[in-house]
Amino acid sequence: MKLLLGLDIGTTAMKIALFDRTGALLAVSTQEYDLLTPAPNYVEEKPEVYWDAFCTGLKDIKSRYTIAKDAQISLAMSAQGETIFFLDKDGRPLRNAIVWMDNRAVREAEMLKEAFGNAECYQRTGQVSFEACWPASKILWVREHEPEVFQNTDKFLLIEDYFIYRLTGKYATEPSLVCSSTYWDIIERSYWQEMLDFLGIRESQLAPVRESGEIVGKILPEVAAELGLGTDLTVCTGALDQAAGAIGAGNIREGMFSETVGAALAVCVPVNKPVFDPACKMPLFCFPVNGMYMIHTFTNGGMTLRWFRDKFCEVEMLAEKRGGQDAYDMISKQVEKIPAGSDGLVMLPHLAGSLAPDVNSKAKGVWFGFTLQHTMPHFMRSIMESLGYILRRNIEALNDMGIRVKEIRSLGGGSKSRVWCQIKADINQVTLETVKSVEAASLGAAILAGTATGIFESVESAVDSMVEVKERITPSAHNREAYEKGYAIYRKLFSDLTECFEKM
């Protein structure tokens, strides 16, 4: 029996989904974990937390679906970008992983800007500027502040690379993930030697780059035994989480557009050839289908709703724990009662900086305009609306590049909320579609694994047979005026508070 295992390694949760060869979801498990924030702008995680979440999730999967010992399993990952691991010569982590949201390396990013310039960064790597969150900046920070760790690091790995190594004992990465390292040349499709020299690292310390949807190797026998699986498990290269999600949502051809609200808000627009933004605002990535590229932007605003849930929604979380509704569903029901525009309450959701198209690593979260009339549901709705405003900023930037967005394909946790989908459609006055598969990123990874192992003829044929639209949500003209006002305030707040962010 042939099975597909899609592993979605997210910022605050890991999803493991098991599919059959037709794409039918057999079982899924979600394991949440808390990030470590030891200092302002620091975001870390213990490497074993990720591995333990994988082990626990897989055990949960096996309790829901019996996997035969002789099953042929193809596995690939949908992975968060920019989270970096530092391994010694024995493959052991030397410190906590530095998560993509981490912005400690501001000075180091400035050093890279001075040495190379943002223009060369964009033309070489597809990233519009050197920023603190990129792995090159993080490596430089470790070199400057933790020299012993730097000197003893044998391998600098991204999170997909780390899991491939743990599973197979081999090193491999793939283009969509390594694009935002800012030490990989997106046009030459090779490591950028001048950058490696500046960082003081060797190419041999990085994972070799393979194409997405390629076989890396079989699972190690001892790891298979640890996980309670047979040894006929083939590990394949996957993709950056948002690219995998785009595949799982059917967004695989030029002219399509998808957005994801998970821990991050991300936008993916596949293109057939490299397209650079004349305004230098929209990053370019490799897309894991037939040598394509994608305009891809993201910001950490999607984490804001979870932060609000964890800090202020104890009642909802307790009810869920006691067997009630999902806390997010309860939040959505309260949001439905609040009018568009949240009665003048506007939020900037940048709890850990802002990325493209409004890059500012020092940006902070802000609520503006609240009065005695505002209630907790107002604050909930303003968070959802703020993410809709960021989505509109991205669509406007695409319009400036001559790319017209006529329809939005929505996926991720945010797509499960009907009211949030309506908010995004109304703010952008664009029809929004959701897909039947609620695990689009895991499905995208599974499709890449199935293509690598010959189960599918191609990614395109797999998508055409597996991905179905669930609902089309049309924008309401009734809410247009309220959102025009709210969006104008959002834009002005971000602009006017730039000096304040700098002083903080």
Side-chain angles (χ1 to χ4, degrees):
M1 183 177 187
K2 294 183 178 181
L3 299 173
L4 303 169
L5 198 59
L7 177 59
D8 181 15
I9 312 173
T11 307
T12 59
M14 181 176 299
K15 290 185 178 181
I16 304 173
L18 185 68
F19 303 88
D20 67 17
R21 60 186 302 162
T22 71
L25 181 63
L26 303 176
V28 62
S29 177
T30 300
Q31 304 298 319
E32 291 191 351
Y33 33 77
D34 295 320
L35 299 173
L36 304 174
T37 53
N41 296 320
Y42 284 43
V43 186
E44 300 184 351
E45 188 58 278
K46 295 178 180 179
E48 283 305 311
V49 168
Y50 293 117
W51 184 256
D52 289 346
F54 172 56
C55 295
T56 302
L58 190 56
K59 183 178 180 180
D60 187 30
I61 288 285
K62 290 165 59 184
S63 72
R64 299 166 187 264
Y65 183 87
T66 301
I67 301 176
K69 279 290 185 181
D70 61 350
Q72 296 177 334
I73 304 174
S74 303
L75 178 150
M77 282 159 267
S78 157
Q80 57 179 282
E82 298 89 53
T83 295
I84 189 165
F85 295 69
F86 302 79
L87 273 57
D88 67 13
K89 59 183 176 59
D90 296 316
R92 294 188 299 253
L94 289 163
R95 69 175 324 281
N96 290 338
I98 303 179
V99 177
W100 69 271
M101 296 170 65
D102 189 288
N103 273 311
R104 74 183 72 182
V106 173
R107 177 177 173 274
E108 288 69 27
E110 290 297 328
M111 292 169 62
L112 295 175
K113 289 176 187 177
E114 291 172 6
F116 296 96
N118 284 337
E120 185 169 8
C121 178
Y122 191 29
Q123 292 301 315
R124 286 275 193 173
T125 73
Q127 309 312 304
V128 298
S129 61
F130 289 107
E131 297 299 331
C133 58
W134 304 143
S137 303
K138 292 169 179 172
I139 290 175
L140 193 55
W141 185 93
V142 169
R143 191 188 81 180
E144 297 294 310
H145 296 271
E146 297 178 358
E148 186 174 347
V149 171
F150 180 80
Q151 291 165 10
N152 290 314
T153 297
D154 184 64
K155 287 289 188 292
F156 301 93
L157 301 181
L158 302 175
I159 198 165
E160 181 185 2
D161 320 348
Y162 176 71
F163 266 79
I164 287 174
Y165 171 70
R166 287 289 300 258
L167 289 165
T168 68
K170 298 179 180 180
Y171 294 107
T173 190
E174 48 77 26
S176 69
L177 190 71
V178 78
C179 280
S180 57
S181 66
T182 61
Y183 46 70
W184 194 73
D185 191 314
I186 194 171
I187 302 300
E188 297 297 325
R189 298 177 81 86
S190 63
Y191 284 111
W192 182 10
Q193 189 59 52
E194 291 86 351
M195 175 58 72
L196 301 189
D197 292 341
F198 187 86
L199 297 176
I201 65 175
R202 305 178 304 279
E203 185 171 336
S204 61
Q205 291 177 282
L206 303 169
V209 181
R210 310 272 294 274
E211 291 300 318
S212 293
E214 284 191 7
I215 294 174
V216 177
K218 294 288 187 179
I219 189 171
L220 292 168
E222 60 269 28
V223 178
E226 176 188 355
L227 298 174
L229 295 172
T231 56
D232 197 357
L233 186 151
T234 304
V235 178
C236 312
T237 49
L240 179 69
D241 49 8
Q242 308 305 335
I247 292 173
N251 178 18
I252 58 169
R253 296 179 175 89
E254 187 169 82
M256 299 187 73
F257 175 98
S258 63
E259 63 86 16
T260 308
V261 176
L265 166 67
V267 166
C268 292
V269 184
V271 290
N272 290 328
K273 61 183 180 180
V275 179
F276 290 94
D277 178 11
C280 298
K281 289 184 176 181
M282 302 297 278
L284 181 69
F285 282 69
C286 289
F287 192 63
V289 178
N290 295 334
M292 293 179 69
Y293 292 79
M294 67 176 176
I295 310 298
H296 169 50
T297 72
F298 63 95
T299 192
N300 54 43
M303 182 73 177
T304 308
L305 191 61
R306 173 170 171 170
W307 163 81
F308 190 86
R309 181 202 68 173
D310 292 350
K311 301 296 184 182
F312 303 107
C313 298
E314 294 181 3
V315 172
E316 288 81 1
M317 292 179 68
L318 182 60
E320 178 183 344
K321 189 175 181 180
R322 290 178 174 175
Q325 280 189 312
D326 179 87
Y328 287 119
D329 291 341
M330 287 184 272
I331 288 171
S332 290
K333 285 188 175 182
Q334 295 178 70
V335 166
E336 289 176 351
K337 301 174 184 178
I338 304 301
S342 301
D343 288 321
L345 182 64
V346 177
M347 187 195 195
L348 301 185
H350 310 299
L351 303 192
S354 173
L355 293 172
D358 298 314
V359 178
N360 187 338
S361 63
K362 297 181 181 179
K364 298 292 187 291
V366 175
W367 262 297
F368 175 80
F370 59 91
T371 67
L372 293 173
Q373 79 176 97
H374 288 104
T375 61
M376 183 177 286
H378 284 91
F379 287 84
M380 294 172 178
R381 186 175 184 108
S382 71
I383 293 172
M384 292 185 177
E385 290 176 343
S386 71
L387 273 294
Y389 295 146
I390 293 177
L391 184 59
R392 179 165 170 176
R393 279 291 297 123
N394 279 275
I395 290 175
E396 288 181 347
L398 288 168
N399 286 340
D400 291 341
M401 295 173 65
I403 299 173
R404 299 288 178 261
V405 175
K406 298 179 180 179
E407 188 174 80
I408 298 171
R409 188 69 63 91
S410 183
L411 56 146
S415 68
K416 298 175 185 178
S417 170
R418 181 63 170 73
V419 66
W420 204 347
C421 288
Q422 188 68 60
I423 286 170
K424 288 181 284 189
D426 291 352
I427 287 174
N428 292 281
Q429 289 295 297
V430 174
T431 298
L432 183 145
E433 291 182 340
T434 60
V435 293
K436 287 188 177 180
S437 174
V438 295
E439 307 300 342
S442 298
L443 177 60
I447 287 172
L448 289 170
T451 304
T453 54
I455 294 174
F456 308 125
E457 180 180 336
S458 66
V459 170
E460 293 89 339
S461 63
V463 166
D464 289 343
S465 65
M466 294 181 187
V467 179
E468 294 182 67
V469 172
K470 178 182 178 182
E471 185 179 11
R472 288 176 57 88
I473 299 169
T474 57
S476 168
H478 177 73
N479 293 330
R480 185 169 188 167
E481 183 179 354
Y483 285 135
E484 288 295 328
K485 291 179 180 178
Y487 180 62
I489 294 171
Y490 173 89
R491 291 291 309 276
K492 185 164 178 57
L493 278 174
F494 190 91
S495 174
D496 290 356
L497 289 173
T498 299
E499 184 177 348
C500 293
F501 294 148
E502 188 69 30
K503 289 181 178 179
M504 290 182 70

